[in-house]
Amino acid sequence: MIALMLPMAVMAQEEKDTTVVIPQAENTLRVAAELSKYGYAKKDALSLIQAARLSKQAGFTLEQKKKAEIEEMRPAPEGGKKGGQVSLDPAKLLADAKSMAGDDGILLALIDDVNSNVRGAVGGPKYASSSVNAGGSDVYNANFRAGELAMVIVVGDGDTDLDLYVYDNNGNLIASDTDYSDDCVCCWTPRWTGNFRIKIVNRGRVYNNYILRTN
């Protein structure tokens, strides 16, 4: 009887948190991502400059492997994409804004101001930037601590619908975001420290450039 009950206890090791308030830094970065998408789509340097400003203020640091030991398995993106670009990397945003600004002195001054005077949070959060093929999926593994809020945020480039799933180390689905956008958030509270599998599925017909954030 004990042997039969044990797997059931293991399966229920995580608790979903449905009332969590997303921290201000995460909301700031989601706004920055939308400004980034608009700026690239409309070739609007001012939007990219503001996106860079918000990214720096929120402590954006781009890494392909974060402290939580995210490991990516990413296929190469296929062609056929007509548009859609997103970035939260301040250096890239400002470089692209500068190429769009031409000889506009006001825009160039704003770029210099963000470069010189806006400081990010010390030791700020870490991110991964990637792309997922049409009809494909990307899988990451990350460790989260027991009793602490776990959060995964994905912001895509706007071209397709992305769905986000989180599984525990027993293969149980513990959180998901499957609406019709590519702005996804999953929150839960692990009962003990362990490894979790993060799966991003692209429901569209072209690849999607996205940014992944875990707390």
Side-chain angles (χ1 to χ4, degrees):
M1 190 67 175
I2 294 175
L4 291 174
M5 292 176 63
L6 182 58
M8 295 177 64
V10 172
M11 290 174 64
Q13 64 174 296
E14 284 77 37
E15 295 177 345
K16 294 181 183 179
D17 195 328
T18 58
T19 61
V20 66
V21 176
I22 297 175
Q24 182 60 42
E26 273 65 31
N27 281 324
T28 297
L29 286 167
R30 292 166 80 182
V31 172
E34 293 302 320
L35 283 168
S36 165
K37 285 188 278 190
Y38 179 87
Y40 282 118
K42 302 297 183 181
K43 299 193 181 302
D44 181 56
L46 187 58
S47 294
L48 296 186
I49 294 168
Q50 183 61 8
R53 182 185 298 275
L54 292 176
S55 294
K56 290 187 74 172
Q57 289 172 344
F60 179 91
T61 305
L62 187 65
E63 288 189 353
Q64 291 303 323
K65 190 171 184 180
K66 127 179 221 314
K67 291 179 181 178
E69 295 181 354
I70 293 175
E71 299 172 356
E72 61 180 319
M73 297 180 289
R74 182 180 70 239
E78 75 281 9
K81 191 174 177 69
K82 295 182 179 179
Q85 186 174 354
V86 62
S87 177
L88 287 176
D89 180 0
K92 174 175 173 52
L93 289 166
L94 293 176
D96 292 340
K98 189 171 185 179
S99 67
M100 295 178 188
D103 58 358
D104 188 316
I106 295 176
L107 291 176
L108 294 176
L110 288 173
I111 292 169
D112 288 340
D113 179 67
V114 174
N115 257 328
S116 304
N117 300 322
V118 179
R119 296 181 179 274
V122 176
K126 306 298 188 293
Y127 301 79
S129 180
S130 187
S131 61
V132 56
N133 284 352
S137 62
D138 278 7
V139 176
Y140 297 78
N141 292 304
N143 291 316
F144 292 94
R145 296 187 183 93
E148 297 181 6
L149 174 68
M151 181 180 297
V152 179
I153 294 176
V154 171
V155 179
D157 62 20
D159 272 6
T160 71
D161 172 26
L162 296 181
D163 289 341
L164 175 64
Y165 304 89
V166 180
Y167 301 86
D168 67 14
N169 55 4
N170 297 304
N172 301 305
L173 177 66
I174 61 167
S176 64
D177 186 335
T178 57
D179 63 12
Y180 294 101
S181 74
D182 61 356
D183 186 357
C184 306
V185 181
C186 284
C187 302
W188 73 100
T189 303
R191 290 187 176 177
W192 61 72
T193 300
N195 185 267
F196 294 81
R197 182 162 58 95
I198 302 165
K199 185 176 183 180
I200 302 168
V201 179
N202 184 357
R203 304 297 183 185
R205 297 183 178 180
V206 295
Y207 69 87
N208 191 308
N209 297 309
Y210 65 85
I211 293 164
L212 169 70
R213 150 85 161 123
T214 72
N215 66 341

